[in-house]
Amino acid sequence: SRNLEYLMVRIGAERATAPERTHLQGLSEELRTTAVANDRTGFLRLNREVHRSLALASHNEMLANTIAVVHGQSRRFWYSQFEEQGLFEQAAHLHGATLEAVVSGDAEQASQHAAAFLDFLETLTRNAIERRVARSPLTDQSSPVRRVGVRER
């Protein structure tokens, strides 16, 4: 998924039309405003539009279709984590930096900002998994669930 994201923003920075760049700039500003206002519904709507618009700006239909599947599969999980941990502003800042690099036509910066955003999502995912494992009865030494049917060595 990382390589697809990098490709999408790099190509978008190179191929986006002037109207697409204007639209992306507006999305960046609006995304940050909704995050600061803690407008969850607005943020989620805009985030979906950001992904769609970046994919369209690549002018590569196969890439756009492929990345849409990836985003669709992971969107619900990320949104729940953003809300649970109050990370809308951080996500908006990271996404906004990527958008602004695409708008300016800087493919290298767009790729670097996308990498920072993906690092953020990876950390978010790892933390969520670690929290879930920590709450699991299978990791709780005092849990009767752990002791049933498990031989201690």
Side-chain angles (χ1 to χ4, degrees):
S1 144
R2 275 184 180 265
N3 289 335
L4 292 175
E5 292 281 345
Y6 298 155
L7 183 62
M8 178 181 66
V9 299
R10 290 182 77 78
I11 293 173
E14 295 166 357
R15 296 182 179 175
T17 64
E20 287 169 333
R21 291 178 197 281
T22 299
H23 179 64
L24 291 170
Q25 182 64 48
L27 287 175
S28 175
E29 293 164 7
E30 202 174 345
L31 193 63
R32 289 177 184 192
T33 300
T34 59
V36 169
N38 204 28
D39 176 359
R40 178 184 185 269
T41 303
F43 180 88
L44 301 180
R45 177 187 54 79
L46 284 167
N47 192 53
R48 185 181 293 225
E49 178 61 19
V50 164
H51 290 177
R52 189 187 74 78
S53 297
L54 281 171
L56 291 174
S58 73
H59 295 271
N60 182 319
E61 187 176 347
M62 181 165 294
L63 176 60
N65 290 337
T66 303
I67 204 79
V69 171
V70 172
H71 289 156
Q73 292 296 314
S74 52
R75 185 177 296 123
R76 185 178 302 147
F77 171 77
W78 290 336
Y79 290 170
S80 71
Q81 296 306 304
F82 290 165
E83 183 173 41
E84 180 180 310
Q85 298 181 42
L87 298 172
F88 287 117
E89 284 187 62
Q90 187 174 356
H93 172 75
L94 292 166
H95 245 344
T98 303
L99 288 167
E100 290 167 14
V102 170
V103 167
S104 70
D106 190 334
E108 186 59 35
Q109 279 293 309
S111 185
Q112 288 176 10
H113 288 301
F117 185 68
L118 292 170
D119 289 345
F120 164 75
L121 292 176
E122 184 177 320
T123 299
L124 190 75
T125 302
R126 288 181 188 280
N127 290 344
I129 291 168
E130 288 172 8
R131 281 192 311 276
R132 186 169 188 145
V133 167
R135 290 191 309 250
S136 170
L138 297 177
T139 59
D140 180 359
Q141 296 299 318
S142 65
S143 171
V145 174
R146 177 151 175 87
R147 290 192 309 255
V148 173
V150 177
R151 286 190 169 154
E152 300 282 331
R153 293 182 194 222

